[in-house]
Amino acid sequence: MANKTTLIVLQHGLWGTVSHMDYLEKQILEKLDSNSITTLNVECNQDKFTYDGVDICGKRLARNIQDHVKYLANEENKIVTKFIIIGYSLGGLIARYAIGLLGKNGFFNTIEPLLFVTFATPHLGVKRESKTNFAKIYNFLTAHMLSRTGEQLQLLDSFENEDRPLLNILADPNREFYHYLAKFKARRIYANITNDRTVPYWTAAMDTFDYFKDMENIELSLDKEYSSVVTAFDLRHPVKQQQQKRQRKRNHTTLAIRITILLLSPILLPIAFTYIGTQGLVSRFRVRKILTELSSKGKEDVEKIKEGDNTGGTSDDDDDNNTLSYHKHSQKQEKEQEHHHHKKEDPVLMDTLDAMDTIPNETSTDKSPQITQQKTKNRLSLYNIKPSKAIQQKYSSMQLTKEQFEIEKNMHQLEWERVMIYIDGFNAHGSIVCRTNRFANRDGKAAIRHFVDSLLLD
């Protein structure tokens, strides 16, 4: 008799590898009964392949999930009956696209969609208000250096000849991507409120108000058990603010690191831009060939997913010419390597990008909010924290595009559990999932512990 299992899928972000989700996967496996769950830390979209576009990555992911479900049934005598999917950064958008494909082709007819979760995902894209030169340069470089994915994140693409960006189509209530997302029992987003220069609060939280751009003016309340989870926020009292200014002592270590990064930036920036730009060009050639093949085949790839055809995508990760390839392990490899082949990240590139992420921009500051802690009895009270009346009166809506406002409006027609995270560190984007050992700090671990403790399995 086959054993029923809940499949938990983890999808990394831009330039990511499966190792980026290792800590999160480990915590899930340690906390939950291994007899009732199965994890899939997907490797079909690693590093350079994330440049190819949310849709192409989403098709790879959908096929990977479909094939893995079949593998579990045939080789491990496990029948997937429930489904949880976790997306980190760009991985959240890839997951939303894959959900639409899977749902459209009958995946959820026999498998119950339980929980959809994103960590620091740019649901509104990454196009920033063009108020400063930094924002203008950022928008230009993102769109032109990150190949097709960059165009989609900047909402500059015209998807499926509909004269609309892909992110708007993902949020269209009449499309399959939205329809099957709505079928999940719960949807949750974890958003860094500060120190995330890659995916700022407003896009991760699907919020058109940026309440946290001036952190020195904010008073935060954090949960005692989950020390990075925000339980309330308000404007800081003027007297307390003046007292803190008089008492503040500059963190010399922080200052030294920032100065070092700034001094090294003439070296770091050319390395990063050259590497990223080169891979962006390679991706454009690869995507052109992929789209040509998809056009000639019509809907063949979607039909393969629908029919459970496992004949496609069998080449290795270095085969750029395979339309929707992912690295498939033989049964022997599965046993030898226990679970996954964990491809290591490029150390030079990732160190350079992580270092660049600490370079101050127009919202960077050494100033910290005032923080208090409180014990929360009801875990549900940690979701969807509302700003105080004083903050609502102080801040006005951001100057986003009409496409971004449309996405926000449509997405909020669904119920969401929004968790605000405060990470006191340089790179909150890496820390929110403890992406590598150097980002596995106390605050990031608290965010993951909150997620694992509240996993929905019933």
Side-chain angles (χ1 to χ4, degrees):
M1 183 177 178
N3 298 314
K4 295 181 180 180
T5 188
T6 297
L7 178 61
I8 303 178
V9 176
L10 301 95
Q11 172 63 66
H12 59 71
L14 187 67
W15 270 110
T17 70
V18 291
S19 65
H20 288 178
M21 305 297 279
D22 275 353
Y23 183 85
L24 180 53
E25 181 181 29
K26 180 181 178 182
Q27 299 308 306
I28 292 172
L29 292 172
E30 288 183 354
K31 179 74 175 181
L32 303 178
D33 181 6
S34 60
N35 294 322
S36 62
I37 66 164
T38 303
T39 59
L40 172 61
N41 191 353
V42 296
E43 56 183 274
C44 56
N45 290 310
Q46 293 189 97
D47 47 53
K48 61 185 178 182
F49 291 104
T50 56
Y51 269 18
D52 295 346
V54 170
D55 53 326
I56 291 177
C57 291
K59 289 176 181 178
R60 293 189 190 118
L61 176 58
R63 175 171 291 178
N64 197 162
I65 293 171
Q66 189 84 6
D67 284 359
H68 193 69
V69 168
K70 192 168 186 178
Y71 168 82
L72 290 174
N74 294 339
E75 305 297 334
E76 297 189 10
N77 199 33
K78 292 181 178 179
I79 302 299
V80 175
T81 58
K82 297 179 180 181
F83 183 73
I84 293 172
I85 190 165
I86 306 162
Y88 164 53
S89 193
L90 179 70
L93 298 176
I94 295 172
R96 284 171 56 192
Y97 193 95
I99 286 170
L101 282 185
L102 291 170
K104 189 176 181 180
N105 292 292
F107 183 82
F108 298 117
N109 291 347
T110 57
I111 298 174
E112 180 185 1
L114 286 183
L115 181 61
F116 171 83
V117 184
T118 63
F119 287 84
T121 288
H123 291 286
L124 304 185
V126 298
K127 189 177 185 66
R128 305 192 182 196
E129 298 174 291
S130 298
K131 290 182 177 180
T132 65
N133 289 332
F134 175 88
K136 293 175 182 178
I137 294 172
Y138 174 88
N139 289 339
F140 177 84
L141 292 177
T142 303
H144 291 83
M145 295 190 68
L146 300 183
S147 186
R148 195 159 173 268
T149 296
E151 293 172 355
Q152 292 173 347
L153 290 174
Q154 283 287 330
L155 291 90
L156 296 175
D157 63 306
S158 181
F159 189 69
E160 292 183 344
N161 299 318
E162 287 197 22
D163 198 28
R164 288 192 299 163
L166 170 63
L167 297 193
N168 283 81
I169 291 176
L170 286 179
D172 185 342
N174 297 316
R175 291 299 299 262
E176 64 271 23
F177 313 105
Y178 188 100
H179 176 73
Y180 289 101
L181 178 63
K183 288 188 174 296
F184 278 75
K185 192 172 183 179
R187 291 158 297 279
R188 187 183 307 167
I189 48 179
Y190 287 83
N192 286 314
I193 64 171
T194 189
N195 297 325
D196 191 330
R197 297 160 188 83
T198 306
V199 180
Y201 160 78
W202 55 270
T203 185
M206 296 186 289
D207 198 339
T208 57
F209 291 81
D210 189 6
Y211 301 114
F212 304 102
K213 60 182 179 181
D214 300 314
M215 289 300 291
E216 67 169 342
N217 299 323
I218 298 295
E219 182 174 343
L220 291 179
S221 178
L222 303 178
D223 187 67
K224 280 191 174 182
E225 183 177 0
Y226 307 107
S227 58
S228 60
V229 176
V230 177
T231 59
F233 62 103
D234 200 348
L235 289 180
R236 180 178 297 180
H237 193 281
V239 174
K240 295 180 181 179
Q241 187 171 343
Q242 291 299 322
Q243 289 176 348
Q244 198 220 24
K245 286 183 178 180
R246 291 194 297 268
Q247 296 173 0
R248 182 186 297 127
K249 295 182 180 179
R250 183 173 293 275
N251 186 317
H252 295 292
T253 301
T254 299
L255 179 61
I257 293 175
R258 287 192 180 276
I259 291 175
T260 301
I261 294 298
L262 288 172
L263 291 175
L264 289 175
S265 61
I267 300 174
L268 296 174
L269 291 175
I271 292 174
F273 288 162
T274 300
Y275 201 111
I276 293 172
T278 300
Q279 291 301 327
L281 290 174
V282 172
S283 173
R284 288 187 185 278
F285 284 113
R286 181 170 60 246
V287 167
R288 186 179 303 170
K289 185 167 186 176
I290 289 173
L291 294 179
T292 300
E293 291 178 1
L294 288 176
S295 178
S296 64
K297 293 178 182 179
K299 297 183 179 180
E300 180 180 340
D301 289 292
V302 175
E303 289 301 320
K304 284 183 178 180
I305 295 176
K306 184 175 181 180
E307 297 169 7
D309 184 355
N310 296 330
T311 60
T314 57
S315 66
D316 60 37
D317 284 332
D318 294 326
D319 185 3
D320 292 355
N321 297 323
N322 193 313
T323 305
L324 301 173
S325 67
Y326 65 90
H327 188 69
K328 295 178 70 177
H329 295 288
S330 65
Q331 192 173 359
K332 180 179 179 182
Q333 286 175 312
E334 291 278 354
K335 292 180 179 179
E336 289 177 348
Q337 301 183 22
E338 295 182 350
H339 195 64
H340 304 289
H341 170 62
H342 284 242
K343 183 175 180 180
K344 298 300 181 183
E345 64 186 21
D346 185 316
V348 175
L349 175 66
M350 294 309 298
D351 286 344
T352 301
L353 294 178
D354 290 337
M356 287 175 61
D357 198 36
T358 68
I359 297 176
N361 58 32
E362 80 273 14
T363 60
S364 299
T365 176
D366 288 327
K367 301 172 183 178
S368 300
Q370 180 181 344
I371 297 174
T372 58
Q373 286 190 322
Q374 67 179 34
K375 187 174 182 180
T376 305
K377 295 182 179 180
N378 184 0
R379 186 177 292 143
L380 293 178
S381 65
L382 299 179
Y383 303 142
N384 304 318
I385 303 302
K386 302 294 184 182
S388 66
K389 290 184 178 180
I391 287 184
Q392 293 182 45
Q393 293 172 356
K394 178 179 175 64
Y395 290 96
S396 58
S397 179
M398 298 174 65
Q399 297 177 13
L400 301 176
T401 66
K402 64 178 182 180
E403 290 84 5
Q404 289 172 309
F405 280 112
E406 180 184 334
I407 294 170
E408 185 269 345
K409 179 182 177 181
N410 288 342
M411 292 297 280
H412 280 290
Q413 292 179 25
L414 300 174
E415 292 184 3
W416 292 89
E417 299 170 347
R418 182 176 62 186
V419 185
M420 297 180 180
I421 301 296
Y422 173 70
I423 294 178
D424 185 13
F426 275 137
N427 192 334
H429 191 71
S431 295
I432 197 169
V433 292
C434 297
R435 195 172 68 198
T436 59
N437 288 335
R438 63 181 176 275
F439 295 132
N441 58 28
R442 173 176 173 268
D443 294 334
K445 291 179 179 179
I448 290 178
R449 192 170 67 254
H450 173 272
F451 165 68
V452 175
D453 285 351
S454 58
L455 260 178
L456 182 67
L457 295 181
D458 298 325

